[in-house]
Amino acid sequence: MTTHLPAALPDEAQDDLLTRGFARRDLARIAAVFGAGAIAASVGRPAWASGGVPDPAPNAKVRIGANECWTGPLAPGALAAAKMIAQGNRYSPQDQRGDFIKAVMAVENVPYDHVAPWPGSSDPLCRSVITFCSPTKGLVTADPTFELAGRTAAWLGAPVKAVPLTPDYAHDVKAMLAANPDAGLYYICTPNNPTGTITPLADIEWLIANKPKGAMVLIDEAYTHFAGVPTASYLAVKHDDVIVMRTFSKLFGMAGLRMGYIITKPANIGKMMRYDGGMQSGALPVTSIACATASLTAAPLIAARRAQMEAARGLTLDHLKARKVDVKPTHANMIMIDWKTSQAKDMQAAFRKHSVEIGRSWPIWPTVSRITIGSAADMKGFCMALDKVIA
């Protein structure tokens, strides 16, 4: 029987995948990762896609389980999106995509051709794994961290090494390199999800300098605006083998609008776009692009929102300290609570009885729950529920 290559993947992408060691039968699975039309429908929803599902109870009074922002887009962004609706009859009323890239240039001090917008950050994260990993070039990630990269690699049949964090919960870059000295991609999430901790830029620079030639370092800075720390943008300009990834789903309050971007060399952008001819990056909703463009440059409002989170986090930490509850250190809009003698899944169910949706746990820490920092009212509601749950 003749095996036909899936038409949804361009010839260039098929040739590249086959050259890197993927089998012909793998190509339909790879097309499914990108939701490539009929192929995705026939193959079905990939197993890894079940990760990161939002709060299971949208009618809960307090929703602090999915690391969403407690409120919507910044005012300039909301206004820009509302104005754009009237021009929604055009695929590109003006050059909204170009305007967005120029805003990133101004804020990040990077060249125009180093920026590519995407619908959130999940798509480019999966693409990075597919583009730079293979059956012989694996992924190295942390444990615990955001699992989508690891799930995608496992789905594709690429080797995965998950390396425990350091005692202060940073990525252990030397152990990551030792875990697979010939990996295709090293994934660093900073601030890390779920711990909210920072991996120093000096450590990341060490990994870039010492990793194997041709391997990529992907730096996921989804939560950086909540931390207010120096960012890795300059590394993506300085090095050929670095990708910096951002999303508007967190501090900017745009999770449902699906907007993000990467910063990397133009050649890397080209490689990541070849699976769908750039459709995912080039055909974004103009409302989302307008909202992101106006939000990105609103520095005083970004700082004010970060201050709101810090205040709500502070009152929560004070309450937990008074109740002698063990909390791990954090620099972002999440905290990790160790319940010690109780399973995290049981605590999640207990809080749900009080209409409070807290986050999940990670296999390495079965007694630890991730709690998103919401509004001050959200966190007061959480503290009230806590007093009933652990009374």
Side-chain angles (χ1 to χ4, degrees), residues 20 129 132-139 158-159 180-185 212-213:
R20 289 193 288 123
V129 175
F132 302 108
C133 292
S134 71
T136 58
K137 295 289 184 180
L139 170 77
N180 186 349
D182 194 31
L185 181 68
K213 183 178 180 181

Side-chain angles (χ1 to χ4, degrees), residues 93-383:
Q94 290 86 42
D95 185 19
Q96 277 74 32
R97 189 176 188 274
D99 290 343
F100 170 76
I101 293 175
K102 290 173 184 175
V104 175
M105 290 175 61
V107 171
E108 302 290 349
N109 192 30
V110 297
Y112 186 97
D113 62 1
H114 282 51
V115 181
W118 300 96
S121 58
S122 294
D123 183 282
L125 179 52
C126 293
R127 281 173 192 267
S128 298
V129 175
I130 293 169
T131 304
F132 302 108
C133 292
S134 71
T136 58
K137 295 289 184 180
L139 170 77
V140 182
T141 184
D143 191 12
T145 194
F146 185 49
E147 306 102 324
L148 184 56
R151 286 181 175 140
T152 303
W155 168 257
L156 293 170
V160 180
K161 294 290 185 180
V163 178
L165 300 173
T166 65
D168 58 354
Y169 307 111
H171 284 58
D172 191 337
V173 294
K174 293 184 178 180
M176 290 175 72
L177 181 59
N180 186 349
D182 194 31
L185 181 68
Y186 297 87
Y187 173 62
I188 295 177
C189 184
T190 179
N192 188 41
N193 176 15
T195 57
T197 45
I198 304 295
T199 296
L201 289 173
D203 289 0
I204 300 174
E205 289 177 339
W206 182 91
L207 178 60
I208 295 168
N210 290 276
K211 66 167 185 60
K213 183 178 180 181
M216 299 293 293
V217 176
L218 174 59
I219 307 163
D220 183 349
E221 295 186 317
Y223 300 92
T224 191
H225 293 95
F226 278 123
V229 296
T231 64
S233 307
Y234 71 97
L235 293 174
V237 177
K238 183 178 179 181
H239 299 283
D240 293 338
D241 42 16
V242 172
I243 303 169
V244 174
M245 189 168 64
R246 302 282 179 78
T247 180
F248 288 82
S249 298
K250 308 306 174 184
L251 180 141
F252 292 102
M254 293 174 57
L257 292 175
R258 309 309 301 137
M259 190 70 193
Y261 63 95
I262 61 171
I263 305 171
T264 189
K265 294 288 186 180
N268 298 325
I269 294 175
K271 289 178 182 178
M272 293 171 68
M273 283 186 174
R274 62 186 163 189
Y275 303 102
D276 60 2
M279 272 302 291
Q280 285 285 66
S281 179
L284 295 165
V286 290
T287 47
S288 298
I289 295 175
C291 185
T293 302
S295 300
L296 191 63
T297 54
L301 298 180
I302 293 171
R305 185 166 285 189
R306 180 168 61 247
Q308 284 182 276
M309 184 280 295
E310 290 170 344
R313 187 178 66 193
L315 70 87
T316 306
L317 292 174
D318 287 346
H319 188 85
L320 292 169
K321 182 179 179 181
R323 294 302 312 267
K324 295 181 171 34
V325 175
D326 185 11
V327 184
K328 299 184 184 297
T330 179
H331 292 87
N333 65 321
M334 65 196 95
I335 55 177
M336 295 292 281
I337 295 178
D338 191 345
W339 306 109
K340 300 296 186 182
T341 58
S342 298
Q343 293 290 301
K345 61 181 175 35
D346 296 332
M347 297 302 289
Q348 188 177 44
F351 275 94
R352 187 168 293 155
K353 292 178 181 178
H354 299 281
S355 198
V356 175
E357 283 294 334
I358 66 171
R360 58 193 175 91
S361 63
W362 270 247
I364 196 173
W365 290 339
T367 63
V368 180
S369 298
R370 186 192 67 190
I371 314 295
T372 303
I373 301 300
S375 67
D378 287 336
M379 303 322 294
K380 289 176 182 177
F382 164 75
C383 291

Side-chain angles (χ1 to χ4, degrees), residues 4-18:
H4 294 285
L5 297 180
L9 288 175
D11 291 344
E12 179 191 0
Q14 294 178 23
D15 292 343
D16 169 71
L17 291 165
L18 293 172

